[in-house]
Amino acid sequence: MKNFEYIEPTTVAEACALLKQHAGGAKIFAGGAHLTILMKQGLYQPDALINIKKIGELKGIRERDGRLVIGALVTHRELETSPLVKERLPVLCAAEREVANIRVRNMGTIGGNLASGEPLTDLSQIFIALDGQARVTGAEGSRTIPVEGLFVDFYTTSLAQDEVLTHVEIPSLPARSGIDYIRFSTSSVVDKPAVGVAVRLTLNSKGAETIATARIVLGCVGPTPVRARNAEALLAGNKLTPGLAVEAAKVASQECSPSSDLRGSEHYKRAIVRTLVRRAAEAAYKQALALPSVKELDAGSK
Ligand SMILES: Cc1cc2nc3c(=O)[nH]c(=O)nc-3n(C[C@H](O)[C@H](O)[C@H](O)COP(=O)(O)OP(=O)(O)OC[C@H]3O[C@@H](n4cnc5c(N)ncnc54)[C@H](O)[C@@H]3O)c2cc1C
């Protein structure tokens, strides 16, 4: 690695000023799980590293006005083990248990996970399905971006050069909602996912079994996570029958652009998308109807 300046600001304002001063030559360093690898490979050669770990305002998970607020410096492990997250959105804890390995989960942060723009990740799909918002601050002020709007291309986000992602805000799950996330790794369980699918379904409020809102988010099967909007439209206004789940899954598998690589061919990944969308939709629907899941039924019979 080439020599670089190393700076430890203690406020977001200071970090933004440093980013602006270095005009694209500096990189934020959070857990370093992603950045260190790319620097060792010579893909990033920053002239300054801005370590944000001493910025207290980026830490912690809290509830504010009914929203879950997750600081950019929260690690995967903190999210996995947070009692507040377990109570409010257990889907996040369950997903985190399958992220990488314990070493990466202890180092890697939520901010780094999103801001890297890395396509083979898990959390963005869930945040998008939950209508999560990213709060970012730059030298000129702060703004809010829907998490979906963060991702532009492979390893490219909509963050400006002087912007720091400060936290993610997740609204409360509406009543009569269910959400499921399923990821599939082809080489080993600790590998990055080959496909990761989040489905959130919200039913109509008046005791009906029809779906009011559907979110189907496909990850790892294109440069950015993508909402399968045609499949979502198929579900809206209907009850989820087995036939409709199969049809929506088929449509969703045509709304992504997987590449053939070491983790599987394009054809294979589309087939996995079909299976995961169907399963996640069925699980989310059961949750929304407050029916026991297959796992709960199995546990009850023992
Ligand atoms: C072996 C391995 C396995 C992995 N497996 C998975 C997996 O299964 N699922 C998954 O989701 N992810 C996986 N990852 C990715 C991992 O989750 C992310 O690399 C990690 O969360 C990055 O966080 P970090 O704090 O280490 O980021 P860093 O490496 O410090 O930074 C990553 C990038 O984001 C920028 N950045 C960091 N924080 C901010 C911020 N607050 N504002 C603006 N820019 C910022 C940095 O400048 C850099 O460009 C894996 C990574 C490795 C190395």
Side-chain angles (χ1 to χ4, degrees):
M1 285 193 268
K2 74 165 197 168
N3 286 342
F4 52 82
E5 198 183 340
Y6 180 77
I7 317 163
E8 292 184 331
T10 54
T11 64
V12 171
E14 211 185 320
C16 296
L18 285 163
L19 286 168
K20 190 168 182 188
Q21 183 189 322
H22 284 270
K27 275 272 170 204
I28 290 181
F29 183 97
H34 169 89
L35 191 58
T36 317
I37 294 173
L38 297 200
M39 284 176 68
K40 282 189 175 164
Q41 289 173 342
L43 293 169
Y44 284 152
Q45 297 192 323
D47 35 66
L49 276 192
I50 301 174
N51 187 330
I52 56 174
K53 281 279 188 181
K54 290 193 175 157
I55 304 183
E57 57 199 290
L58 299 178
K59 297 182 183 172
I61 304 171
R62 59 190 71 86
E63 205 166 2
R64 193 165 59 211
D65 302 330
R67 298 177 152 246
L68 193 65
V69 180
I70 304 169
L73 281 179
V74 167
T75 62
H76 291 289
R77 182 71 175 150
E78 284 173 312
L79 198 62
E80 177 190 345
T81 56
S82 157
L84 179 61
V85 179
K86 191 172 177 199
E87 184 201 316
R88 292 282 308 269
L89 289 169
V91 65
L92 283 171
C93 304
E96 282 289 13
R97 280 196 286 281
E98 296 190 71
V99 165
N101 52 51
I102 192 73
R103 218 155 42 126
V104 172
R105 294 208 292 278
N106 273 322
M107 297 296 294
T109 64
I110 304 315
N113 186 270
L114 298 176
S116 64
E118 141 97 72
L120 302 184
T121 55
D122 292 283
L123 297 179
S124 51
Q125 290 88 285
I126 307 175
F127 290 153
I128 294 169
L130 291 166
D131 293 339
Q133 308 265 322
R135 282 288 292 168
V136 306
T137 296
E140 310 305 329
S142 298
R143 63 188 177 119
T144 303
I145 313 171
V147 172
E148 188 182 1
L150 269 179
F151 303 100
V152 174
D153 205 339
F154 289 105
Y155 301 96
T156 309
T157 69
S158 54
L159 292 178
Q161 270 176 8
D162 63 355
E163 280 182 328
V164 175
L165 194 157
T166 56
H167 52 271
V168 175
E169 287 190 9
I170 316 279
S172 296
L173 201 54
R176 310 198 74 223
S177 293
I179 178 163
D180 196 39
Y181 176 71
I182 314 179
R183 53 115 77 184
F184 183 77
S185 296
T186 44
S187 54
S188 83
V189 284
V190 293
D191 187 24
K192 292 180 179 178
V195 179
V197 168
V199 177
R200 193 255 294 181
L201 301 178
T202 299
L203 305 185
N204 280 309
S205 53
K206 298 246 160 52
E209 293 178 3
T210 50
I211 296 164
T213 309
R215 294 277 182 276
I216 301 176
V217 192
L218 315 176
C220 320
V221 280
T224 66
V226 65
R227 267 181 63 189
R229 284 185 160 80
N230 294 334
E232 291 176 1
L234 261 184
L235 298 186
N238 290 302
K239 293 183 183 181
L240 190 77
T241 59
L244 183 60
V246 168
E247 184 57 24
K250 195 170 145 198
V251 169
S253 72
Q254 295 307 313
E255 294 189 74
C256 52
S257 47
S259 44
S260 298
D261 57 24
L262 289 173
R263 290 180 173 85
S265 67
E266 177 196 339
H267 177 78
Y268 177 73
K269 289 181 190 173
R270 286 194 199 276
I272 299 292
V273 168
R274 272 203 306 277
T275 302
L276 300 194
V277 169
R278 178 180 55 75
R279 288 185 189 166
E282 287 172 349
Y285 193 63
K286 272 192 181 154
Q287 262 181 51
L289 289 170
L291 292 177
S293 67
V294 174
K295 275 184 218 153
E296 283 161 347
L297 287 173
D298 280 353
S301 66
K302 279 176 194 156

